[in-house]
Amino acid sequence: MLFVTVLVANDIKPPLVERIVYSSKDLIVVREVLQQVFLQPEQIPVSTSELSSEILTFSTMERYNNGAVLTYNELVSVDAFYDGLVVFTGHTKYTGKTMTVLYNEGTTVTYGFLDELMLLPYTPINAGQSIGKQQHSFYLQIEQDGRLLNLEEMLAWLKGYD
């Protein structure tokens, strides 16, 4: 993934390239700068999402590819954990319809095997907002501090969300 930050000043033609963005950490910095420039008010959550209890009701959690497939006995909503930014939506060979979200707290989460993708890339997302249609199972991959979490770490991360 490659983004280029451009500094545009009224007096300067052509615009100056100030920084090339290569990583999720750089993307967080760019987002924070843009939020300061456009003065978006910070949102304060007033209630918790139902996802916190639903997500932990899976019947099986099996290792798959670089993440896990969580299977549920009943339909479960696939919702965002935190506020963040959708950085990928599309179809992949191993996880079908897939969406990747970079959350404000620095974690990157990939959701796969979705029936329908609800958002386009580079769309801001709020905690509890729907990512995809309800599922009996879906793929989940969590990247934190530049490394993929194993099953035990994923489970601890999910419990920490609750």
Side-chain angles (χ1 to χ4, degrees):
M1 178 174 5
L2 173 68
F3 294 95
V4 177
T5 306
V6 178
L7 176 63
V8 178
N10 293 338
D11 306 359
I12 302 172
K13 299 285 180 177
L16 298 175
V17 174
E18 188 173 286
R19 184 173 181 183
I20 296 177
V21 179
Y22 289 104
S23 68
S24 297
K25 191 178 271 187
D26 289 338
L27 190 58
I28 291 171
V29 170
V30 171
R31 183 184 58 228
E32 289 172 359
V33 169
L34 290 174
Q35 285 177 342
Q36 289 174 0
V37 170
F38 294 108
L39 301 173
Q40 286 185 343
E42 187 174 331
Q43 296 179 353
I44 300 171
V46 292
S47 65
T48 60
S49 167
E50 292 180 18
L51 176 67
S52 60
S53 59
E54 279 187 357
I55 197 76
L56 291 172
T57 62
F58 59 86
S59 57
T60 63
M61 181 178 191
E62 299 177 37
R63 185 169 172 19
Y64 178 78
N65 204 15
N66 292 321
V69 174
L70 282 68
T71 306
Y72 298 85
N73 293 330
E74 296 181 16
L75 292 176
V76 64
S77 291
V78 182
D79 298 332
F81 291 102
Y82 303 102
D83 292 346
L85 180 71
V86 176
V87 293
F88 173 80
T89 57
H91 191 277
T92 68
K93 179 178 179 180
Y94 297 105
T95 58
K97 289 183 181 174
T98 302
M99 181 177 293
T100 301
V101 178
L102 172 61
Y103 289 115
N104 290 350
E105 43 83 58
T107 304
T108 303
V109 179
T110 300
Y111 305 87
F113 301 131
L114 300 172
D115 286 339
E116 183 179 337
L117 300 172
M118 306 295 282
L119 301 165
L120 295 172
Y122 314 113
T123 304
I125 190 168
N126 297 317
Q129 186 174 348
S130 182
I131 297 243
K133 291 292 185 179
Q134 291 187 331
Q135 303 291 309
H136 279 289
S137 66
F138 65 94
Y139 173 79
L140 189 67
Q141 173 185 307
I142 303 171
E143 180 183 336
Q144 201 170 43
D145 299 323
R147 118 189 139 71
L148 295 172
L149 302 185
N150 63 32
L151 290 180
E152 292 79 24
E153 293 168 325
M154 285 177 66
L155 186 56
W157 188 86
L158 290 170
K159 285 182 179 178
Y161 170 75
D162 187 36

